């Protein structure tokens, strides 16, 4: 909650945990455009992702994503599947509340690269973890995109072209981490963290 926001005339909005997955494939990253009627970031190109749902807290992962609570990593896997049709998992029972997933979800291929909190004043605020993954670890054909339609179109965007799409500032910063990882650069000692709309990421968790 944005404590003190009422005194500054800023809307008080609860902050929800969220996860988004940047999926890499041979110099491309999977992105989609949010619909014009979307409440949050309409007409912006984004990575698949969304808020943690209550059922995500009960998901048992085959492997965790280091540095990320299991419920948040599970949300990233679920949102990726819902919005693109692509899954990370192994044969076994699907989680409660994920009808049609068909696998035991596995977050072991995910890497935590960036964290950001939506600044005050927005109708929706998220504490979002940006997770990076290689498409080669998918359980599905990466060309078999079959999402919910929330992101339309869905495209494998060349990394050099992604910053030129209509993207939010937070996505622009996250792309820097994605591109650095794709080049094989060493990750920073601490996860970059963008909070309260500061224009420079804070190097802390």
């Amino acid at each position: 909650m944005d404590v003190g926001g009422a005194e500054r005339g800023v809307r008080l909005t609860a902050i929800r945990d969220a996860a988004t997955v940047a999926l890499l494939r041979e110099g491309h990253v999977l992105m989609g455009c949010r619909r014009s009627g979307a409440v949050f970031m309409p007409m912006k190109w984004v990575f698949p992702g969304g808020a943690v749902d209550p059922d995500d807290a009960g998901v048992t992962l085959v492997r965790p994503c280091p540095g990320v609570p299991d419920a948040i990593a599970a949300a990233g896997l679920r949102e990726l599947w819902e919005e693109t049709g692509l899954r990370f998992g192994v044969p076994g029972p699907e989680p409660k509340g994920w009808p049609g997933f068909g696998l035991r979800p596995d977050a072991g291929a995910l890497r935590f690269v960036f964290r950001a909190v939506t600044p005050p004043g927005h109708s929706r605020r998220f504490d979002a973890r940006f997770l990076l993954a290689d498409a080669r670890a998918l359980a599905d054909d990466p060309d078999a995109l079959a999402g919910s339609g929330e992101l339309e179109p869905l495209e494998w965007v060349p990394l050099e072209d992604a910053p030129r799409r209509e993207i939010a500032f937070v996505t622009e910063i996250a792309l820097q981490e994605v591109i650095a990882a794709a080049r094989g650069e060493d990750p920073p000692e601490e996860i970059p963290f963008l909070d309260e709309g500061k224009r420079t990421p804070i190097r802390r968790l």
Side-chain angles (χ1 to χ4, degrees):
M1 188 71 70
D2 177 31
V3 178
E7 288 78 4
R8 299 194 302 271
V10 176
R11 183 185 310 185
L12 296 176
T13 306
I15 299 174
R16 298 182 64 188
D17 283 322
T20 186
V21 179
L23 197 57
L24 284 175
R25 181 191 183 196
E26 298 176 345
H28 294 67
V29 63
L30 185 60
M31 302 184 76
C33 187
R34 293 182 60 80
R35 293 174 296 188
S36 60
V39 175
F40 189 73
M41 293 203 295
M43 300 303 292
K44 298 291 187 183
W45 283 81
V46 298
F47 309 122
V52 175
D53 283 350
D55 285 337
D56 297 333
V59 172
T60 300
L61 300 171
V62 176
R63 293 179 296 169
C65 174
V68 177
D70 282 357
I72 297 176
L77 296 177
R78 176 184 51 75
E79 289 283 345
L80 176 70
W81 164 59
E82 289 176 352
E83 294 181 352
T84 72
L86 302 178
R87 302 168 298 168
F88 286 99
V90 301
E94 67 188 19
K96 175 185 175 182
W98 295 20
F101 189 77
L103 298 172
R104 292 178 60 204
D106 185 357
L110 304 180
R111 175 178 149 195
F112 182 22
V113 295
F114 181 58
R115 180 179 176 184
V117 175
T118 311
H122 290 261
S123 60
R124 294 183 181 179
R125 298 186 67 198
F126 300 100
D127 183 349
R129 277 71 163 187
F130 288 75
L131 312 176
L132 180 66
D134 191 320
R136 290 176 294 185
L138 285 167
D140 301 295
D141 180 347
D143 286 321
L145 300 175
S148 62
E150 185 173 344
L151 302 181
E152 185 65 36
L154 274 170
E155 293 182 13
W156 288 100
V157 179
L159 280 172
E160 63 271 20
D161 291 343
R164 293 191 283 271
R165 297 290 172 111
E166 186 66 29
I167 59 176
F169 176 72
V170 65
T171 307
E172 179 183 345
I173 298 299
L175 267 171
Q176 295 176 15
E177 300 301 324
V178 171
I179 291 170
R183 291 172 176 166
E185 297 179 16
D186 292 333
E189 293 184 3
E190 296 179 279
I191 300 297
F193 181 20
L194 182 68
D195 194 8
E196 297 298 316
K198 296 182 176 66
R199 306 302 274 188
T200 303
I202 303 169
R203 298 277 174 169
R204 59 178 173 136
L205 282 176

